[in-house]
Amino acid sequence: MRVLSGMRPTGKLHLGHYFGVIKNWIKLQEQHETFYMVADWHALTTGYKKTEEIPQNTEEMLIDWLTLGIDPQKSVLFQQSKVKEHAELFLIFSMITPKSWLEWNPTYKDTKYNLLKIADLSLMFKGGIRDNLKTFIAKLPYKVEDFERLEDMLLDNLSDALIEALFEGYLDKELLKELNVSKREFYDTDTYGFLGYPVLQAVDILIYKAQGVPVGEDQLPHVELSREIARRFNNLYGDTFPEPQALLTETPRLPGTDGRKMSKSYNNAIYFADSNQEVQRKVMGFFTDPQKLRKGDPGRPEICPVFFYHKLFSPKERIQEVERDCKSGKLGCVDCKRMMLEGLEAFLEPLREKRKEYEKDREKVREILRGGSQRARDIAQQTLQEVREKVKVG
Ligand code: TRP
Ligand code: SF4
């Protein structure tokens, strides 16, 4: 089976990426023809205002992939923007994709809902203040040349200030929580490209006629949309694309240092590029069972993220010992973290060495990406040839 997946180049990878995604990619490359893509065009959909880090992030991410065991002999590793055929097929797919399919996409719907909610707020505000503003302007001790323009300008500025206040948390913390976006995300995603995000993703998959797409649950609607686009294309122009299947992986939610899901945005992640001092500092600062205040107090390993890590990285006997001694109170959290650090470092240290090798030979890394992109391009070109013939344009 041909398998394809991609990742946006957002920076260095952390342990959560490994257990959530990469481990599975490595397993798949042993049995299938695998394509792994750096989705740099996709990175533009939300990050088009700040692009200077994308090239570096692309390289760092590839270094992490290689370090962790993605093997360029077994998998085609490539960069989306180096295969221009993606852009051509994106254009064709854009022509045949009904807008409603995209508007129903949950990622888009959530954002749209936020946009509407804020537009509502702004209208309500303008309506409420208009009459008072009229009275106020009329009372000004100056001659007003263009009453309506002034009124519009004041209203716009005031409503911007209101939205600003909302994002700064002065207005309604609950509403802000409900909106669940930063100001930047909010303004930047009101674009055609963001709406079309899943169409580009469908291209990524279908252009290689991939049948398996390893993704997390949040991406299921996007894979479903790829199936629908494939079906629609096939109906219109004749059988061309197989309908891809999502290969859903059960991913244990790896906790970060604060006990919440590990994520760059929570600032609670342990990176493969972290030095051992950094990892030590992070481990010693780990959240633990808050009821266990000092050595002697009994703890609850089942809710403690430190114990979660013991289960991943410590030898069997140690896991049992920690569980028993935490519960009885015999074990203190500081000692427990030290033991956990040992197991974690036994995992990280060899990777750190391997990472350094790639860091020293960045030309090799770039060569891998160039070679992979060439192989991807060969296939994409064949598909586009077929597409042009079937659509009769191009
Ligand atoms: N949208 C995916 C994500 O944000 C990344 C991605 C882009 C992808 N193209 C893909 C995943 C194709 C699978 C297949 O995680
Ligand atoms: Fe967590 Fe270990 Fe402390 Fe128990 S002893 S609460 S497992 S850190």
Side-chain angles (χ1 to χ4, degrees), residues 128-148:
I129 212 153
R130 180 163 266 123
D131 288 341
N132 286 326
L133 203 59
K134 269 199 170 58
T135 326
F136 170 75
I137 297 174
K139 278 190 194 154
L140 281 177
Y142 313 104
K143 198 169 124 226
V144 178
E145 297 288 348
D146 189 340
F147 196 88
E148 267 172 32

Side-chain angles (χ1 to χ4, degrees), residues 4-6 8 37 39 42 197 201 204-205 213 215 219:
L4 180 136
S5 197
R8 280 172 298 147
M37 178 188 82
H42 271 118
Y197 185 107
Q201 187 163 347
D204 301 337
I205 300 164
V213 187
V215 282
Q219 295 289 315

Side-chain angles (χ1 to χ4, degrees), residues 349-371:
E349 185 54 27
L351 294 174
R352 213 173 273 136
E353 291 305 310
K354 221 170 136 194
R355 195 175 202 287
K356 281 202 192 102
E357 291 302 309
Y358 286 112
E359 277 172 6
K360 265 191 266 167
D361 200 354
R362 285 180 181 266
E363 190 41 46
K364 183 169 149 197
V365 174
R366 287 191 278 265
E367 182 47 42
I368 288 171
L369 205 55
R370 268 198 298 275

Side-chain angles (χ1 to χ4, degrees), residues 242-367:
E243 288 181 29
Q245 300 281 345
L247 307 175
L248 196 60
T249 38
E250 254 189 65
T251 49
R253 275 193 165 217
L254 190 75
T257 55
D258 58 358
R260 291 187 292 174
K261 181 185 176 218
M262 186 176 284
S263 155
K264 182 182 173 185
S265 53
Y266 290 158
N267 215 346
N268 65 358
I270 295 175
Y271 295 90
F272 293 101
D274 283 349
S275 68
N276 58 0
Q277 289 97 315
E278 265 167 304
V279 173
Q280 180 175 357
R281 187 181 55 75
K282 287 178 181 178
V283 166
M284 295 322 281
F286 247 78
F287 171 90
T288 61
D289 177 359
Q291 283 179 15
K292 184 167 163 61
L293 297 176
R294 57 187 67 80
K295 193 172 167 172
D297 292 347
R300 293 168 297 174
E302 65 282 3
I303 63 143
C304 179
V306 177
F307 187 63
F308 193 101
Y309 280 67
H310 272 295
K311 283 188 286 186
L312 288 175
F313 299 109
S314 295
K316 246 207 178 77
E317 315 78 65
R318 177 165 275 184
I319 302 173
Q320 288 165 354
E321 180 194 325
V322 166
E323 187 170 20
R324 190 188 60 223
D325 293 350
C326 169
K327 282 181 175 160
S328 74
K330 186 174 152 206
L331 179 64
C333 292
V334 175
D335 289 335
C336 182
K337 286 171 177 175
R338 275 204 195 102
M339 291 198 283
M340 183 271 258
L341 182 64
E342 258 176 51
L344 177 59
E345 273 299 321
F347 173 72
L348 288 177
E349 185 54 27
L351 294 174
R352 213 173 273 136
E353 291 305 310
K354 221 170 136 194
R355 195 175 202 287
K356 281 202 192 102
E357 291 302 309
Y358 286 112
E359 277 172 6
K360 265 191 266 167
D361 200 354
R362 285 180 181 266
E363 190 41 46
K364 183 169 149 197
V365 174
R366 287 191 278 265
E367 182 47 42

Side-chain angles (χ1 to χ4, degrees), residues 172-240:
D172 181 347
K173 289 235 165 37
E174 283 309 307
L175 176 59
L176 188 62
K177 229 184 278 163
E178 191 191 335
L179 293 176
N180 192 27
V181 280
S182 72
K183 190 169 88 187
R184 199 187 56 75
E185 274 171 334
F186 165 71
Y187 280 112
D188 290 0
T189 51
D190 192 22
T191 59
Y192 172 56
F194 186 70
L195 176 67
Y197 185 107
V199 181
L200 185 57
Q201 187 163 347
V203 170
D204 301 337
I205 300 164
L206 299 178
I207 205 167
Y208 304 103
K209 303 192 179 185
Q211 290 140 297
V213 187
V215 282
E217 205 166 357
D218 62 313
Q219 295 289 315
L220 284 181
H222 293 173
V223 179
E224 185 54 34
L225 201 90
S226 306
R227 298 163 59 81
E228 278 163 4
I229 293 177
R231 220 174 297 145
R232 186 157 166 90
F233 187 98
N234 294 345
N235 284 335
L236 288 165
Y237 308 111
D239 255 351
T240 311

Side-chain angles (χ1 to χ4, degrees), residues 82-95:
K82 294 290 182 247
V83 187
K84 307 297 179 197
E85 284 72 13
H86 284 238
E88 186 176 344
L89 192 56
F90 177 58
L91 184 150
I92 305 267
F93 281 180
S94 297
M95 298 299 172

